Amino acid sequence: MTASLVRGRGLWQFAPMLTLPNLLTLSRILTVPLLVALLWPAELGARWTTGYAFAFALYCLMGITDYFDGYLARAQGAVSRLGIFLDPIADKIMVGAVILMLAATRDIAGIHIAAAMIILLREIAVSGLREFLAGLQVSVPVSRLAKWKTAFQLIALGALILAGAVPQFPFVQMVGIATLWAAAILTLVTGWDYLRVGIKHMD
């Protein structure tokens, strides 16, 4: 009866896509507005350590789901085209939203905005390049250096959010800024690697 009801509504074809890994990926996308909302009062100039603390906890939870959606998809043999499509989108939406909010709250300010912009622009450029290469059926594997870039990037943003929750520990902010620049440098290196591959397939 349930199956016929779903089929009658024309949704039956989506049922195989609603695997646990895909649901975890979708949860990361749907959680981004909540993460932004928790940081928003600081953008208005309010002292909001509680919001930062909840935002950091939510950020960590999103990072955990990022690990487990890929792990479960491989372990269960449930790797799907939807998951392959959504996973990088979820990552870029989260990174972009956090960078913009931390810039708005001035947790990233001054010359450090340059590092944030390098990361943000690279995410946009590489997404466009991957789409272009996908149309040519050319895959670009993720290098080990790119994985290090992602690790530094996630640590940097997490540390900068945590710094807002524990302003009495300024070294947390210093760790965030240092790893942000490390991520930006690796972003330039790996971005150039992707660009070199793309240029080879351009007329």
Side-chain angles (χ1 to χ4, degrees), residues 9 13 65 69 102 107 112 125 127 133 145 147 151 153 185:
R9 291 179 178 178
Q13 65 268 36
T65 60
D69 62 10
L102 291 177
D107 292 291
H112 307 305
S127 293
L133 293 175
L145 202 58
K147 292 180 180 179
Q153 182 175 285
I185 293 170

Short mmCIF file of all heavy atoms in Angstrom, two decimals, residues 9 13 65 69 102 107 112 125 127 133 145 147 151 153 185:
data_model
loop_
_atom_site.label_atom_id
_atom_site.label_comp_id
_atom_site.label_asym_id
_atom_site.label_seq_id
_atom_site.Cartn_x
_atom_site.Cartn_y
_atom_site.Cartn_z
N ARG A 9 2.05 9.10 -6.38
CA ARG A 9 2.43 10.49 -6.30
C ARG A 9 3.59 10.83 -7.23
O ARG A 9 4.08 11.94 -7.26
CB ARG A 9 2.83 10.85 -4.86
CG ARG A 9 1.65 10.83 -3.90
CD ARG A 9 2.11 11.17 -2.50
NE ARG A 9 0.99 11.19 -1.57
CZ ARG A 9 1.09 11.42 -0.27
NH1 ARG A 9 2.28 11.63 0.25
NH2 ARG A 9 0.02 11.43 0.51
N GLN A 13 10.46 7.03 -8.09
CA GLN A 13 11.79 7.00 -8.70
C GLN A 13 12.84 7.64 -7.82
O GLN A 13 14.04 7.46 -8.03
CB GLN A 13 11.77 7.68 -10.08
CG GLN A 13 11.46 9.17 -10.06
CD GLN A 13 9.98 9.44 -10.23
OE1 GLN A 13 9.15 8.70 -9.74
NE2 GLN A 13 9.66 10.52 -10.93
N THR A 65 29.50 14.34 9.77
CA THR A 65 28.61 13.78 8.75
C THR A 65 29.30 13.75 7.39
O THR A 65 29.05 12.85 6.58
CB THR A 65 27.30 14.58 8.64
OG1 THR A 65 27.58 15.94 8.28
CG2 THR A 65 26.54 14.56 9.96
N ASP A 69 29.23 10.19 5.57
CA ASP A 69 28.44 9.95 4.36
C ASP A 69 29.29 9.26 3.30
O ASP A 69 28.84 8.34 2.63
CB ASP A 69 27.77 11.23 3.83
CG ASP A 69 28.75 12.31 3.43
OD1 ASP A 69 29.96 12.04 3.36
OD2 ASP A 69 28.30 13.45 3.19
N LEU A 102 32.23 34.97 8.83
CA LEU A 102 33.40 35.36 9.64
C LEU A 102 33.99 36.68 9.17
O LEU A 102 34.55 37.44 9.97
CB LEU A 102 34.46 34.26 9.60
CG LEU A 102 34.09 32.96 10.32
CD1 LEU A 102 35.19 31.91 10.14
CD2 LEU A 102 33.83 33.19 11.81
N ASP A 107 35.80 38.47 12.33
CA ASP A 107 36.71 37.46 12.86
C ASP A 107 37.82 37.21 11.85
O ASP A 107 38.90 36.75 12.20
CB ASP A 107 35.94 36.16 13.16
CG ASP A 107 34.98 36.33 14.32
OD1 ASP A 107 35.47 36.49 15.45
OD2 ASP A 107 33.76 36.33 14.09
N HIS A 112 44.00 39.56 6.31
CA HIS A 112 43.58 38.15 6.32
C HIS A 112 42.36 37.90 5.42
O HIS A 112 42.09 36.76 5.06
CB HIS A 112 43.27 37.71 7.76
CG HIS A 112 44.39 38.00 8.71
ND1 HIS A 112 45.68 37.55 8.49
CD2 HIS A 112 44.43 38.71 9.87
CE1 HIS A 112 46.46 37.97 9.48
NE2 HIS A 112 45.74 38.67 10.32
N ALA A 125 36.07 28.83 -8.87
CA ALA A 125 36.77 28.56 -10.12
C ALA A 125 36.91 27.06 -10.39
O ALA A 125 36.68 26.59 -11.51
CB ALA A 125 38.15 29.22 -10.10
N SER A 127 35.05 24.68 -9.23
CA SER A 127 33.73 24.11 -9.52
C SER A 127 33.38 24.29 -10.99
O SER A 127 32.90 23.37 -11.65
CB SER A 127 32.66 24.79 -8.64
OG SER A 127 32.85 24.47 -7.29
N LEU A 133 35.18 20.21 -17.48
CA LEU A 133 35.87 18.96 -17.78
C LEU A 133 34.92 17.77 -17.77
O LEU A 133 35.11 16.81 -18.53
CB LEU A 133 37.02 18.74 -16.79
CG LEU A 133 38.18 19.73 -16.89
CD1 LEU A 133 39.19 19.49 -15.78
CD2 LEU A 133 38.85 19.66 -18.25
N LEU A 145 47.83 16.71 -1.91
CA LEU A 145 48.01 18.10 -1.49
C LEU A 145 46.66 18.80 -1.33
O LEU A 145 46.47 19.62 -0.42
CB LEU A 145 48.86 18.85 -2.52
CG LEU A 145 49.58 20.12 -2.03
CD1 LEU A 145 50.48 19.80 -0.85
CD2 LEU A 145 50.36 20.74 -3.18
N LYS A 147 43.95 17.35 -0.43
CA LYS A 147 43.37 16.86 0.82
C LYS A 147 43.94 17.61 2.02
O LYS A 147 43.22 17.91 2.99
CB LYS A 147 43.61 15.36 0.95
CG LYS A 147 42.84 14.52 -0.07
CD LYS A 147 43.12 13.04 0.09
CE LYS A 147 42.34 12.22 -0.93
NZ LYS A 147 42.62 10.76 -0.82
N ALA A 151 41.98 19.92 4.77
CA ALA A 151 42.16 19.74 6.21
C ALA A 151 42.50 21.06 6.89
O ALA A 151 41.91 21.42 7.92
CB ALA A 151 43.25 18.71 6.48
N GLN A 153 41.90 24.02 5.79
CA GLN A 153 40.76 24.90 5.62
C GLN A 153 39.70 24.63 6.69
O GLN A 153 39.18 25.58 7.31
CB GLN A 153 40.18 24.66 4.22
CG GLN A 153 39.01 25.51 3.83
CD GLN A 153 38.64 25.25 2.38
OE1 GLN A 153 39.35 25.70 1.47
NE2 GLN A 153 37.58 24.51 2.14
N ILE A 185 47.61 29.23 0.75
CA ILE A 185 48.82 28.91 -0.04
C ILE A 185 48.64 27.60 -0.80
O ILE A 185 48.92 27.50 -2.00
CB ILE A 185 50.05 28.86 0.87
CG1 ILE A 185 50.36 30.26 1.42
CG2 ILE A 185 51.26 28.30 0.10
CD1 ILE A 185 51.41 30.27 2.50
#
